[in-house]
Structures are given as structure tokens and as C-alpha cells.
Amino acid sequence: MSIAIRQELAALYRLAHHFGWTDLTSTHISARLPQDPGHYLLNSHDLMFDEITASNLTRMSFDGAAVDDQPGSGKVINLAGHIIHSGILNARPDVNYVIHSHTRAGVAVSAMPEGLLPLSQHAGFVLGTLSSHRYQDSTAVEDEGALLAHDLGGNFAMLLQNHGLLAVGRTAAEAFTYHYYLEMACKIQVDILGATDKPIAITEDAMAALHDWGAPKNGPHGDVQWPSLLRMLERTVPEYRS
């Protein structure tokens, strides 16, 4: 089981690289280890996403220690990453994967006063399960992980104001799917608002159907596309599984 989870998480990192969701090594994706309570997987802060494989992911304890590495292994722990991911995974036993990114469009929309607007189908997929969290330095605020989890609530996506995006999933496919639609919605919104100050909003009735399409109760989402994404990785970077 842990090998399969490592491979799924490594796939998320390689897909983040493929879709341009990286910010050097400063963003992070995590996976719960259901058969190893109290621990989860996270990236080493010194690795670019296209270097990450199933075997070089770091097993973390929820108190912030790398527990499966030999002394002197050289792995660098991202403190902000640990705070964010341990906070969410502790508070949400229903989800197993967490993606946090600093994409250009995601940060831009997170800094807009009205946040994500109902301007696209992509937005409709996530708006029914979208939260917002006011900017704070993750490493400088006491209990920031718990505050993030509080603001996420039972939702599956979040705008971190002035900071970026966060998506969670019961499966790797679902976390990917919520992040994909949220990021695409942000890109589309930036494009639209750059072209007009009078955008056409989707009507409330039509938006209700889109909310239902993306509702967590109708998931887990992404299972149809996930095998094809893995096949793409098998063709291009099969070493991610090693």
C-alpha cells in the first residue's frame, strides 16, 4: 500500500511540473499514510519537482520530524509545507492528498477583492466547494495549520489570499482535478479581466448545475482522466515510480 501511495504522490509532483504549477522548490504536495497513523509523505525542500520519485519522498511525523532518513541524508524539511499539510491532514480525516501551489494566475486571483468569479465552467466546478484564507506567514503565526484547516472547513479547494491555491482530495486523482479546475478558472479570469471590465457572468441557475457537477458528494472526481495522465507519465518520465 505505501509503495502505491508513494507512486501516486510522485505522479502528482511530475504532473505539477508538466502543467507548470511549480515555484522552484517552494510549493508542496502531501499524502496521508493510512496504514501508518501519525505519518504522511512530503517532498524534500531541496528537490525540484522533476527530480521527485516514489523513493525520495520523505516520511514525516505530524510533529515535523523526518522519520525514515539516516542522519546526514541531506534532506531539507520545508517548515511551511509541514505546517500547512499536517494542519489539513490532521483536521480532515476524509482526505488523503493535499496540493498547495503558488501559480501566477492563482496568486493573482487570490489577491482580487472578490476572489474567484463565476466566469467559466471551470470556476463553476470549484465555486461550490471553495474557501478563502487571509494571508499570514505560515512560519510566523501560531497554529497557522489549524487556522488554515478551520477556513477550509469541509470544502475541497481554497484561495490563500496573496499566496496561492490549495486543493485536497480523497484520492490523488481528485486532488489533481480540483487543483486543475481551480488553476484553469484563475487563468481564464485573469484573461477575461485583462480584456474587459464588463465580463459576462454565468447565471445563478446555470451555476447551480455546475456546482452540482463539481460537488464532493458526487465524487471522488478525476477517476476517468487519471489513468490517461499516468500513461502520459509512463511514456515520458517512467522513473517517477522508482
Side-chain angles (χ1 to χ4, degrees):
M1 175 64 78
S2 63
I3 293 175
I5 293 170
R6 282 181 173 272
Q7 290 177 341
E8 295 259 294
L9 182 57
L12 285 174
Y13 278 101
R14 294 306 182 108
L15 289 168
H17 173 75
H18 174 83
F19 284 95
W21 299 344
T22 61
D23 181 17
L24 298 179
T25 66
S26 293
T27 52
H28 16 80
I29 310 172
S30 64
R32 186 190 306 280
L33 292 166
Q35 294 180 329
D36 186 11
H39 299 94
Y40 69 100
L41 296 172
L42 192 66
N43 56 313
S44 180
H45 193 25
D46 57 318
L47 294 176
M48 299 290 279
F49 282 18
D50 63 345
E51 296 181 283
I52 291 175
T53 65
S55 61
N56 65 25
L57 290 161
T58 302
R59 188 166 66 104
M60 298 286 298
S61 68
F62 279 98
D63 63 6
V67 297
D68 62 347
D69 292 317
Q70 296 297 321
S73 66
K75 286 194 175 181
V76 181
I77 303 306
N78 185 323
L79 178 58
H82 165 68
I83 290 169
I84 292 169
H85 292 270
S86 64
I88 300 296
L89 291 171
N90 262 322
R92 289 289 300 275
D94 60 314
V95 302
N96 296 305
Y97 294 85
V98 181
I99 300 175
H100 169 52
S101 68
H102 302 157
T103 67
R104 180 173 176 176
V107 175
V109 171
S110 78
M112 294 180 182
E114 296 182 357
L116 187 66
L117 300 171
L119 301 179
S120 67
Q121 290 188 134
H122 297 75
F125 184 85
V126 294
L127 274 170
T129 188
L130 184 67
S131 296
S132 181
H133 177 71
R134 187 177 64 182
Y135 180 79
Q136 301 183 112
D137 182 342
S138 300
T139 63
V141 177
E142 187 176 359
D143 295 329
E144 173 64 359
L147 294 171
L148 275 163
H150 176 270
D151 287 346
L152 179 63
N155 289 327
F156 278 63
M158 186 157 65
L159 291 176
L160 279 60
Q161 293 177 4
N162 310 98
H163 187 173
L165 308 178
L166 187 138
V168 303
R170 288 158 286 195
T171 64
E174 184 168 62
F176 172 86
T177 300
Y178 276 120
H179 189 280
Y180 176 84
Y181 278 100
L182 180 56
E183 163 67 359
M184 282 294 293
C186 290
K187 285 182 175 180
I188 292 166
Q189 179 166 316
V190 169
D191 288 345
I192 292 172
L193 297 184
T196 179
D197 60 359
K198 296 179 180 179
I200 299 171
I202 296 175
T203 66
E204 289 187 9
D205 286 346
M207 188 56 68
L210 293 174
H211 287 177
D212 188 62
W213 170 43
K217 68 180 181 180
N218 294 325
H221 295 282
D223 288 349
V224 172
Q225 297 87 357
W226 187 247
S228 64
L229 291 165
L230 295 182
R231 289 195 298 271
M232 179 186 71
L233 293 179
E234 289 291 339
R235 292 192 301 270
T236 57
V237 287
E239 66 272 14
Y240 84 90
R241 294 184 290 105
S242 62

